Structures are given as structure tokens and as C-alpha cells.
Amino acid sequence: MKKTEVSLIEGASAGKNITEPFTLLLMGIDSTDEVLSKNAIAHGDTLILITFNPKTLNATMISIPRDSYLPIACWSGRPENKITHAAMYGNDCMINTIQNYFDVNIDYYVKINFKGLVKLVDAVGGVEVDVPQVLCTDDSSRGGDVCIEAGRQVLNGEQALVFARNRKAFADGDFRRAQHQQEIIKALINKMKTVTDVGAFMDILNTV
């Protein structure tokens, strides 16, 4: 199947009432674009299934390692390959690949890239996490390196990206990175719950 920017799923949801439990796919792609287009094509390096129950206000998160070999839904014969490559063929390919393999219905999805994460973290005034060791990666433009020190601290957008992207510094690689990405999500939610300034809230909405 050719790489495509046309999506059948893009404008359609399951029609599920959000007062009922629903499943959302969070896709983080390795794009450095300032503005993310509707069906931007890039590797899907962050894949997190989030199921939320509005009645109990509980959520569960399951991270899918980017290098998991799964049958790619949009490829002829559905040969197995790294799931990160499915995102290169559009949103439908990634969503259908996950739905087919895990036998789960994805009601909604969210896609974010490097710049999007940086802007969102900065919009909430930073996030607090515990950094296990000194970490360095290139910045959101893939330019110069950004490093963060070890210890509990409030990270700005570029620093949060370092925390969320780094895997080669750890023996457990992508599993540790997935853990850090979930920590960033929780820290973002906790920070948003404390926002009382209307201007700050509008900044968050504008970023989204």
C-alpha cells in the first residue's frame, strides 16, 4: 500500500458517548514540524492505549513497544514488521493494525510530535518528574543536545522531551522509555488540574 495522507478514520469516531468507558490511542511520531498536519506521516515511536472509565474516573495505560513485530494491517498479506512502520502509511494503517492484533476497538486517537510535546509542557508551566540519571538527546529540531540532571525536578518542554525520548541510556531500553512517557502523561494531567488562570488555560487550548 502506498504511503497516504488520506484517512477514512480521520473524521469518524465510534460514536460512543463519553459518559461510557472508551479507549483512546495516543501516538507520538518522530516529526519535527512546527504544526502537525491532519494525517502527518512519520514513524510511530510512542504508542499508548488508554482506557478511561468516566464513572470511576480511572484510567489504564498500556504502552506498545515501537519494535514489536505485528501483522501490518494495510500491507498485502499482512506480513509482520515493526509496528512503528505502520504509522508511515497513515492513521488507518496504525489503528487497524492495533485493533486487529489486540482485539480492541479504538474509539478516539490523539497524535503528537516533538514540537507538540514541547509546547504542551511549556503551556502548563513544566512538569515534575524524578530523573534517574543524567540524560541527553538532541532537541525538538534535531539540532543541539539538551541534557537534564538526575533528581526530582520540574522540566520544561525541551527537557521533558529528553526524558520521554531517551532509551539507549538504559539496559531495559524501550521499556524504560515507555515508563517515562507514562510518567510525563501523569505529570501533565496533575499539572493541568492545578491550572486556575484563564490565560494559562487558553494557552493550553491553543496548543492543543
Side-chain angles (χ1 to χ4, degrees):
M1 180 175 177
K2 293 182 178 179
K3 297 177 184 179
T4 177
E5 292 187 0
V6 176
S7 172
L8 299 175
I9 295 173
E10 184 70 43
S13 74
K16 182 177 285 188
N17 190 317
I18 60 170
T19 61
E20 299 297 323
F22 61 88
T23 297
L24 176 149
L25 172 64
L26 172 61
M27 290 187 281
I29 62 173
D30 65 348
S31 157
T32 59
D33 294 343
E34 285 290 342
V35 178
L36 195 59
S37 63
K38 241 183 180 184
N39 197 33
I41 291 171
H43 288 110
D45 286 347
T46 299
L47 300 166
I48 303 177
L49 279 174
I50 303 173
T51 298
F52 181 69
N53 188 331
K55 295 179 180 178
T56 62
L57 298 182
N58 287 329
T60 59
M61 290 190 286
I62 299 175
S63 295
I64 304 171
R66 70 183 293 279
D67 292 335
S68 302
Y69 264 68
L70 305 181
I72 305 301
C74 63
W75 290 6
S76 177
R78 297 186 179 180
E80 290 191 357
N81 208 296
K82 293 180 181 181
I83 192 172
T84 184
H85 295 154
M88 295 293 293
Y89 293 80
N91 297 336
D92 292 6
C93 188
M94 177 61 81
I95 291 171
N96 289 331
T97 294
I98 293 173
Q99 289 186 145
N100 291 346
Y101 189 82
F102 291 96
D103 192 24
V104 62
N105 290 323
I106 295 171
D107 301 301
Y108 304 98
Y109 75 91
V110 175
K111 181 183 282 188
I112 194 167
N113 67 352
F114 292 170
K115 299 286 188 183
L117 177 63
V118 170
K119 291 175 182 177
L120 186 56
V121 170
D122 286 341
V124 302
V127 291
E128 184 177 355
V129 297
D130 190 7
V131 182
Q133 65 187 63
V134 175
L135 298 172
C136 300
T137 62
D138 50 2
D139 63 22
S140 60
S141 299
R142 292 192 184 275
D145 281 352
V146 177
C147 295
I148 51 177
E149 299 296 322
R152 179 160 289 278
Q153 59 197 286
V154 175
L155 304 180
N156 64 27
E158 289 288 353
Q159 293 168 331
L161 184 64
V162 172
F163 185 73
R165 285 182 61 202
N166 211 294
R167 60 176 175 149
K168 294 183 178 178
F170 303 105
D172 47 359
D174 206 31
F175 294 103
R176 181 68 67 92
R177 178 166 69 170
Q179 175 187 329
H180 287 174
Q181 290 167 351
Q182 292 192 14
E183 288 178 22
I184 289 290
I185 292 171
K186 290 184 224 178
L188 275 167
I189 292 171
N190 288 335
K191 194 63 180 286
M192 287 179 185
K193 289 191 294 187
T194 68
V195 175
T196 57
D197 179 76
V198 174
F201 188 68
M202 291 307 297
D203 285 343
I204 296 170
L205 289 180
N206 287 335
T207 300
V208 173

